[in-house]
Amino acid sequence: MADSPEVPRIVVTGLGVIAASGGDTNTFFQNMLAGESGICGVTAFDVSDLPSKIGAEIKDFDPTAFMDPKEARRNDRYTQLAVGASQQAIADAGLDMARVDADRCGVLVGSGIGGMWTIETQSRILFEKGPRRVSPFMIPSLIANIASGKVAIDIGARGPNFSVVSACATSTHALGESLRIMRTGDADVMIAGGSEAAMTRLGYAGFCAMKAMSTRNDDPRGASRPFEKSRDGFVMGEGAGIFVLETLEHARARGARIYCELAGYAATCDAFHITQPDSEAVGLTQCLKKALKNARMEPADVDYINAHGTSTQFNDKCETLAVKNAFGEAAGKVMVSSTKSMTGHLLGAAGSVEAAICAKIIETGEVPPTINYEEPDPGLDLDYVPNVKRKADVRVAMTNNSGFGGHNASLILKAFEDS
């Protein structure tokens, strides 16, 4: 039997991040290292009668810096953020789209919710002014696949193009599925990640009704407290994180700078409850184990984990258990931090933003902390890199995310070795 063809190696050549903690990747990452929280009082809508009045709101985003004003008006905020972060990532990669085979360049940008601003504003118009006043751009503005379509139209990418929707695991799945696409030889370049802009009055009302959000309104920067005893819920954020992924062959051919290699991916389901994680962490444990197997690694190979770490009672316990289950004795030696303590929870964009943090950690050798870690919660006893950044030679990083519906996703990034 003939030998199987070699699976292409996939590398990261461009990063784009727009979030409350920074409007570009480098500013954002430096703020993460400094322990600077982007969480403050919400100003974009009336929160006076809502239990949670805080969030990681992007206050200075100008979509016309990335698209024509008319196009900006026709697209939801989540698409605007995706376009902006995609342009940043492409520029960071030094990717000249005129020199890229358009049929082998794909786009996979996910969103957990899609156009929440559009849903809310157009619903108000319908109820107050009637159906004739509803915008003809409402449907293409709100659906969750439009960010992928818009980015592809802008850059002329005719390769694989769709969207992933898996709640808070969305953009981790988007990067992982892009890895699969490229490993099977269907694309040389993928623009991939996630975007979310669900910080609306309706979005807050829904999550507050679930009692999922922090009500530490008098201390916004101290409200997101992953793995800490007094945590009382997540803090919502908004933003986008986009990667340029290339086959190593394609990146080498154009002399690209390489951040790291995307080496492993896995996806599982708890099959347990629509919103609550499995207390035994069976599905998430398997996800971590399968990601390691996919990357051909052992637990001891991993230096750092960027945790889902939402600052909710159930998630932080279950995730800690999953790391212990999957890593065994190595669990006590791996650094684990939750940057949601500073970014808030970006829902569908969380995974790609956190994967970008992993790429920057591998590049710089500096690990952001979990801030607001004051009193340990008994049983949650991993190395959560409390409060202060740490210098470390991180060769392998893992990032994990979970979402409503029981979705789990894990990625492994490793330092690039030109061999």
Side-chain angles (χ1 to χ4, degrees), residues 206-394:
F207 279 113
C208 284
M210 297 176 66
K211 301 187 184 303
M213 297 177 71
S214 173
T215 56
R216 197 185 289 260
N217 297 314
D218 58 345
D219 182 20
R221 295 179 184 274
S224 183
R225 314 174 72 81
F227 306 109
E228 204 263 356
K229 187 176 181 180
S230 65
R231 65 192 185 278
D232 72 329
F234 80 88
V235 178
M236 196 186 300
E238 60 179 353
I242 303 295
F243 278 53
V244 175
L245 301 174
E246 299 182 59
T247 63
L248 177 56
E249 181 181 10
H250 191 276
R252 277 176 172 160
R254 68 180 191 88
R257 179 273 319 275
I258 294 173
Y259 279 103
C260 58
E261 185 170 348
L262 186 55
Y265 165 60
T268 65
C269 184
D270 287 352
F272 174 74
H273 189 273
I274 200 69
T275 58
Q276 185 176 321
D278 174 13
S279 61
E280 300 299 320
V282 175
L284 184 56
T285 297
Q286 288 303 310
C287 193
L288 273 56
K289 287 181 175 180
K290 288 180 177 181
L292 287 166
K293 183 178 180 180
N294 186 252
R296 298 181 180 180
M297 291 182 183
E298 299 296 328
D301 295 327
V302 179
D303 303 300
Y304 169 76
I305 298 173
N306 190 294
H308 191 50
T310 59
S311 187
T312 61
Q313 288 293 325
F314 286 122
N315 174 88
D316 295 2
K317 288 181 180 179
C318 294
E319 188 170 11
T320 296
L321 178 59
V323 172
K324 290 181 176 181
N325 289 344
F327 278 64
E329 292 183 0
K333 300 175 183 178
V334 65
M335 293 175 287
V336 181
S337 69
S338 172
T339 44
K340 287 185 179 73
S341 57
M342 297 172 279
T343 67
H345 192 350
L346 276 63
L347 308 181
S352 54
V353 169
E354 290 156 10
I357 290 170
C358 290
K360 292 295 290 183
I361 289 170
I362 291 170
E363 179 194 35
T364 64
E366 292 189 288
V367 177
T370 304
I371 69 167
N372 303 319
Y373 191 83
E374 296 174 356
E375 185 176 2
D377 189 341
L380 277 62
D381 53 359
L382 301 177
D383 177 4
Y384 300 117
V385 193
N387 302 315
V388 180
K389 72 177 182 180
R390 191 177 300 173
K391 289 187 177 293
D393 181 19
V394 174

Side-chain angles (χ1 to χ4, degrees), residues 78-79 109-111 114 139-140 142-151 161-165:
Y78 98 92
T79 299
V109 178
S111 181
I139 297 300
L142 69 85
I143 52 181
N145 64 300
I146 287 299
S148 279
K150 174 62 175 166
V151 171
N161 187 294
F162 55 97
S163 179
V164 172
V165 179

Side-chain angles (χ1 to χ4, degrees), residues 5-24:
E6 185 176 348
V7 176
R9 294 170 66 188
I10 309 305
V11 294
V12 178
T13 59
L15 299 171
V17 174
I18 300 174
S21 298
D24 63 83

